[in-house]
Amino acid sequence: MAANRNLKQVRIENSSPAAPLGMVGGGGGGGNLKGLRGLEAESEAAAAAMALAPSKEGGGDEEQEVGFTIDIKSFLKPGEKSYTQRCRLFVGNLPTDITEEDFKRLFERYGEPSEVFINRDRGFGFIRLESRTLAEIAKAELDGTILKSRPLRIRFATHGAALTVKNLSPVVSNELLEQAFSQFGPVERAVVVVDDRGRATGKGFVEFAAKPPARKALERCSDGAFLLTTTPRPVVVEPMEQFDDEDGLPEKLMQKTQQYHKEREQPPRFAQPGTFEFEYASRWKALDEMEKQQREQVDRNIREAKEKLEAEMEAARHEHQLMLMRQDLMRRQEELRRLEELRNQELQKRKQIQLRHEEEHRRREEEMLRQREQEELRRQQEGGFKPNFMDNREQEMRMGDMGPRGAINMGDAFSPAPAGNQGPPPMMGMNMNNRGTLPGPAMGPGPSMGPEGAANMGTPMMPDNGTVLFFHNN
């Protein structure tokens, strides 16, 4: 094997004189290795990818080995992942003294492996190559090869992390299936199985990179309802049944037991009518026909039940949508009612605030009007009774002049009584000169009269309520 840092190359040699198409025949040395037996049937892509290279150089007696160079990257299909479980080979009937270096050297022409396991006690091992095509080439090349007097038995290892997915919708693709199951762990491959016309069969399989994600997906999908599309149609997940539909059971792997030799005594044949073989063969065929009819009836019943369930599901979906629409309408109506209540409450608050403002404005106007009226009344009182105020001041001043007995001198201050005629003080509000009206001794000369002959009445008296009192003579 020749390799560099950027390009892995494989040099596969063939010593058979009749090489298949795409291989160079002839060549002297290197007869110990077996060529690609049946490579055309195993992998057409591998045969088409092989490139020829000159294998012989002139000028010498010794012939060079004949072979060709293959780029490993060309064996990867578009979108194919490398070093998956599908690239894992089981190698049986190994010598018990084989080492890991010898085991890896056996597969070194097919690229760098990522996993190597050997059980020397039981004589088997596992190896994982880069691509499925390389694994197919290695299987076709090395299966049956004699190693230390033991023929190697090479098969594809069982994929322990593969799941079968049923009840898939017709709109589910490989990409959607991989995307859906990637939430449980890394997915190596997801395929929706189709018929010969490319129509989905409702089944598929998912291959995980390890067993823990596969167990998790199996448990979650078994306990719950895993939906891939809008329709509430859950997928059914089961462990994938492993079948070897490539190699089958060759004669060389048959166990030569007593039952084997007994059954092989008779060659293949048709049973003759009327014989013992024909009678029981007919009964076997009738049993198989009954099984077929019952399976068809079960399939028909299941199909009718699925159609009925789909119709009920569609009707229930419409009813559910109508219920959601009604609930949404009721919610909107309730929201509108609540908004209307909030609006009415806001209007009531604004109206109350406006009424309070108007009431306050009215009270302020009434207060201002009351103050103006009081001010006007006070001004009227001050302007209409100013002389009375002066008379009151004069009365107060006169009331300060009292006699020795506390009597008020009511006479005219400018016409005092004669000193020789000291009579009793005159009575308040009465004419002291009219001696005939009041009995008693003479009171002496009365006050002087004015120019018009009116008696001097003295200072008029005014009580607190502003009424002026005058005393007249009878």
Side-chain angles (χ1 to χ4, degrees), residues 20-86:
L21 182 62
M23 299 179 62
V24 177
N32 295 330
L33 295 176
K34 184 172 61 173
L36 295 175
R37 294 180 291 108
L39 181 60
E40 300 90 340
E42 292 291 338
S43 176
E44 296 180 358
M50 296 179 179
L52 297 178
S55 59
K56 188 180 253 187
E57 296 179 2
D61 296 337
E62 184 179 357
E63 292 184 353
Q64 301 292 330
E65 293 182 353
V66 179
F68 51 88
T69 302
I70 302 173
D71 182 8
I72 291 180
K73 298 297 182 182
S74 63
F75 290 104
L76 286 174
K77 298 178 181 179
E80 181 182 2
K81 299 177 182 179
S82 60
Y83 296 109
T84 63
Q85 292 278 351
R86 300 182 71 248

Side-chain angles (χ1 to χ4, degrees), residues 82-127:
S82 60
Y83 296 109
T84 63
Q85 292 278 351
R86 300 182 71 248
C87 311
R88 195 164 175 256
L89 294 175
F90 167 81
V91 183
N93 203 24
L94 288 174
T96 56
D97 59 345
I98 189 172
T99 63
E100 185 174 338
E101 288 73 14
D102 295 337
F103 187 69
K104 293 175 69 174
R105 191 180 300 112
L106 186 65
F107 291 89
E108 65 180 358
R109 295 180 301 169
Y110 310 102
E112 185 69 22
S114 66
E115 176 190 355
V116 175
F117 173 79
I118 300 176
N119 189 333
R120 295 181 180 86
D121 297 335
R122 302 181 61 181
F124 70 90
F126 292 95
I127 188 168

Side-chain angles (χ1 to χ4, degrees), residues 417-423 435 442-445:
N421 187 9
Q422 295 291 337
R435 302 179 186 271
M443 300 300 292

Side-chain angles (χ1 to χ4, degrees), residues 153 155 247-257 260-261 263-264:
R153 297 176 180 176
R155 294 175 177 271
D247 296 333
L249 184 60
E251 184 68 24
K252 61 182 179 180
L253 299 180
M254 290 293 300
Q255 300 291 332
K256 305 302 188 289
T257 61
Y260 171 83
H261 292 289
E263 292 293 336
R264 290 296 184 94

Side-chain angles (χ1 to χ4, degrees), residues 408-411 426-432 438 447 455-461 469-474:
I408 300 175
N409 184 10
M410 298 300 294
M427 299 298 293
M428 182 182 300
M430 298 180 64
N431 190 355
M432 296 297 107
L438 292 178
N456 188 0
M457 299 298 295
T459 304
M461 299 184 65
L469 300 178
F470 293 92
F471 295 93
H472 300 275
N473 293 326
N474 290 331

